[in-house]
Amino acid sequence: MQIAPHRLLGFAFAIADLLIEVGPSGKITFAVGAAAVLAGDGERQLIGRSFMDCIEPDDQDLVWALINGAEGGQRQGPAVARLAAAASKKPRAFAISICKLPQNDGAVSCALSRAAAPKLGRGESGLHERGDFEGMTRTLMETARASGEELELSFVEMDGLTKAAKALPAQDQSKLKSRIAGALRAQSHGGAAAAKLDEDRYALVRSAGESAEALTERLGRLISLTADVSGVKLAASSMALSGDASASQIVRAVRYALDDFIEGGVDGAVPGNLQDAVTAQVRHTLRKASALGAMVTEKRFKLVFQPVVTLASGALHHHEVLVRFGEEESPFPMIRMAEELDLIEQLDLAVFERATEQLEGNNKVKLAVNISGRTITSPDFIKQVTTLVKAKRAWDGRMMFELTESAHIDDLSLADRHIQMLREVGCHVCLDDFGAGAASLAYLQQLSLDVVKIDGRYIRELQHGKRESTFIKHLVQMCGDLGVKTLAEMVETPQVEDAVRRAGVDFGQGYLYGAASETPSAPISASSRGGPSPVAARRVGAKETWG
């Protein structure tokens, strides 16, 4: 059946604002539609231009992958990309779908429509980081439920990629890395739903329907067009994102599936669908809850102590108590699990009880222990702590509780009453990581605090930016008006120390004064602080809430 050209054009414009044909040379050979509105130029001005020159550099690898991934009449996209600034008076984004018909002599047909700018990941070349990817997957699935779209979570393993890339020249390594990111984004939902999980392991959310084998074949072909990495072995598997799971179940099931893939790769038992993942996650959670519960009950963790100094004199003020589980570098995964399994109050109490052993053994030591936003609203926790502290008058003024924002405080009035009870028995209370969460100002306004610890990201940039300096100075002034002391974390160089001291901050904590150690130790002397940072459990530039 013959179809009149005007009918085909009508169908095309029903789904697109601009139609472009790109020849084998990469130049635009045909353009019709809203060229001026979308691309900033008329149709004739587009003819002969390099299509890639019209694309924002950060999205060129994405569009390259769409074009080169289109074979045998299959459609690629839609994916959202951005126009280069020179090609438009205002930064604009567009959704692009691509088709490469065999009888079209190598030319590529592109349909472009106006779209909202994509929300790219914070990782390399627009890939998402693990934490952001989990939340994004949940959002996409909830949207798909409403629209009826079927999605799947795909896991891609590129075994040997890192090793093969290291054998390439530096420039080729960089190109390969960005091309792989572009290829993964091109196969993901909207061109912005791919993540790097671990070395050689990636995940993406995409429309259901295509086999894992077809995905790996296309990715392998795109990689081979960039560099000779013949030793790389590609494998993929997919998990259907369908079912009646709740929002919280989705997040936990996705997290379980990602953990399973990171640990075992594609050859591991990756769930086939969301319901299988939910079931497996429930069993896994019960096992973890039992193991963590036993660890907390038996106090099978260790404490380390990091010095905090008075900036005016450089003298030791107190030590923060940091918890460690086994040989893990960061305690955060265990803390997050304790929050999720409602074991955080028991853990906080166990850490407090272990810390008091130091108070008993050394009548000069002063300590600060962390407690969760959930724990501070627990009457049982407050009763046990205040009863113990009342019985030990020698502890008066030597214990501080650092209130973290790892869990939101729902009842600020109750939290403040409990803080008052802690202060009445001689304990101090510090608000940890001020500025890291949206609720910090409300906490400062409504809670009776002794100290505010300023989030390390502001401290780290203090010596470089006027904005951070202004923020710190005003915060210090506001806290001073409220009778609250201030503490700067992540003080790692003499320059940062000088900046926070001039800003009026009262206390300092960080690499400059010493790493966390197994016993409360004196800070590094002022005469030794100009040398290289000592080896420590905390990496330079890293901030560890709880540890």
Side-chain angles (χ1 to χ4, degrees):
M1 181 180 68
Q2 285 190 330
I3 303 177
H6 69 275
R7 283 189 173 177
L8 292 176
L9 199 60
F11 287 131
F13 279 124
I15 61 170
D17 297 313
L18 176 63
L19 305 176
I20 286 178
E21 184 178 80
V22 180
S25 67
K27 293 184 178 181
I28 298 172
T29 58
F30 174 83
V32 62
V37 174
L38 189 64
D41 275 325
E43 298 164 357
R44 293 184 179 180
Q45 285 73 30
L46 289 177
I47 305 299
R49 288 183 56 182
S50 168
F51 185 45
M52 284 300 176
D53 288 345
C54 301
I55 309 299
E56 174 71 23
D58 288 345
D59 290 333
Q60 288 181 0
D61 289 311
L62 163 68
V63 176
W64 174 88
L66 289 170
I67 292 175
N68 289 278
E71 289 292 336
Q74 290 183 330
R75 188 178 75 170
Q76 288 286 287
V80 179
R82 295 159 296 175
L83 293 164
S88 175
K89 293 181 180 179
K90 293 182 179 180
R92 293 174 182 170
F94 61 92
I96 180 172
S97 295
I98 287 174
C99 184
K100 191 175 184 179
L101 296 175
Q103 62 269 36
N104 211 16
D105 297 325
V108 177
S109 304
C110 307
L112 284 68
S113 302
R114 281 171 285 192
K119 188 175 182 180
L120 300 179
R122 295 180 293 180
E124 58 190 33
S125 303
L127 294 179
H128 288 277
E129 296 173 344
R130 164 70 186 272
D132 294 336
F133 183 72
E134 291 176 6
M136 182 211 64
T137 301
R138 168 184 166 176
T139 300
L140 287 177
M141 183 175 173
E142 291 174 341
T143 303
R145 278 179 173 176
S147 66
E149 184 179 8
E150 294 185 2
L151 299 177
E152 64 184 25
L153 176 59
S154 294
F155 308 92
V156 179
E157 184 173 9
M158 301 185 185
D159 187 39
L161 175 65
T162 301
K163 182 179 179 180
K166 288 179 179 178
L168 299 173
Q171 186 174 354
D172 291 345
Q173 288 186 40
S174 178
K175 182 179 180 180
L176 178 62
K177 186 181 296 185
S178 61
R179 282 283 173 86
I180 288 175
L184 291 164
R185 286 179 56 196
Q187 304 309 306
S188 72
H189 188 278
K196 181 174 183 179
L197 304 177
D198 201 2
E199 186 174 287
D200 299 347
R201 288 177 182 170
Y202 304 84
L204 58 149
V205 177
R206 62 179 188 144
S207 296
E210 185 181 58
S211 68
E213 291 75 15
L215 173 63
T216 54
E217 189 278 330
R218 185 178 301 111
L219 289 172
R221 180 158 45 84
L222 291 170
I223 292 173
S224 68
L225 293 174
T226 304
D228 181 12
V229 285
S230 54
V232 177
K233 180 183 177 182
L234 269 70
S237 63
S238 296
M239 181 181 93
L241 292 176
S242 59
D244 299 322
S246 66
S248 61
Q249 286 178 319
I250 292 171
V251 171
R252 291 178 181 177
V254 168
R255 183 176 298 155
Y256 170 81
L258 295 175
D259 285 342
D260 206 45
F261 171 58
I262 291 172
E263 182 177 349
V266 170
D267 292 335
V270 175
N273 57 61
L274 186 64
Q275 191 55 52
D276 287 347
V278 170
T279 302
Q281 187 272 332
V282 169
R283 296 196 190 104
H284 187 60
T285 297
L286 291 174
R287 290 195 298 269
K288 290 197 301 183
S290 177
L292 181 59
M295 187 180 295
V296 171
T297 302
E298 298 168 15
K299 294 186 175 66
R300 285 190 278 113
F301 52 81
K302 71 176 183 179
L303 302 182
V304 292
F305 307 85
Q306 187 171 35
V308 176
V309 305
T310 302
L311 287 171
S313 64
L316 174 68
H317 185 267
H318 68 273
H319 288 84
E320 182 182 4
V321 180
L322 311 171
V323 65
R324 293 285 186 267
F325 299 92
E327 299 301 320
E328 293 185 21
E329 181 179 347
S330 171
F332 178 74
M334 297 295 286
I335 298 302
R336 183 176 70 175
M337 184 166 65
E339 296 269 15
E340 292 178 349
L341 302 179
D342 290 327
L343 292 170
I344 193 63
E345 181 182 335
Q346 294 95 309
L347 177 59
D348 285 344
L349 184 61
V351 170
F352 166 74
E353 290 174 345
R354 281 280 301 276
T356 59
E357 296 172 8
Q358 292 291 330
L359 297 182
E360 284 286 278
N362 186 341
N363 60 12
K364 293 183 178 180
V365 70
K366 295 192 293 184
L367 301 176
V369 296
N370 291 282
I371 59 171
S372 165
R374 292 185 184 180
T375 302
I376 194 63
T377 57
S378 166
D380 288 341
F381 176 85
I382 298 300
K383 181 179 180 180
Q384 291 183 72
V385 168
T386 53
T387 299
L388 184 58
V389 173
K390 281 180 181 177
K392 301 286 185 178
R393 299 312 302 172
W395 298 355
D396 191 10
R398 297 169 56 204
M399 177 63 72
M400 179 186 292
F401 291 94
E402 287 197 16
L403 182 59
T404 74
E405 288 192 61
S406 57
H408 184 73
I409 301 175
D410 294 319
D411 191 337
L412 286 174
S413 297
L414 176 61
D416 191 53
R417 290 197 297 273
H418 287 173
I419 288 173
Q420 296 282 20
M421 293 171 68
L422 291 172
R423 297 177 77 199
E424 286 172 4
V425 296
C427 297
H428 300 285
V429 179
C430 170
L431 178 61
D432 197 10
D433 295 331
F434 185 91
S440 291
L441 197 58
Y443 290 177
L444 179 59
Q445 183 183 22
Q446 299 183 53
L447 301 179
S448 304
L449 303 166
D450 297 289
V451 181
V452 162
K453 180 183 283 190
I454 305 166
D455 185 63
R457 61 179 172 174
Y458 298 106
I459 303 303
R460 195 168 57 243
E461 300 299 325
L462 182 60
Q463 60 179 320
H464 303 299
K466 184 177 180 181
R467 182 186 296 272
E468 289 77 12
S469 178
T470 301
F471 172 81
I472 299 298
K473 288 178 180 177
H474 283 289
L475 174 59
V476 169
Q477 182 179 347
M478 179 172 61
C479 288
D481 292 341
L482 296 172
V484 177
K485 300 285 188 181
T486 50
L487 192 162
E489 65 177 354
M490 292 179 66
V491 179
E492 298 170 347
T493 67
Q495 293 76 22
V496 172
E497 179 187 48
D498 182 61
V500 294
R501 184 186 289 116
R502 285 188 286 104
V505 178
D506 297 289
F507 307 113
Q509 178 182 1
Y511 238 38
L512 186 64
Y513 310 111
S517 57
E518 294 188 1
T519 57
S521 304
I524 297 172
S525 64
S527 60
S528 302
R529 293 175 192 167
S533 297
V535 176
R538 186 188 298 235
R539 301 184 306 275
V540 175
K543 176 175 69 62
E544 298 177 350
T545 302
W546 298 96

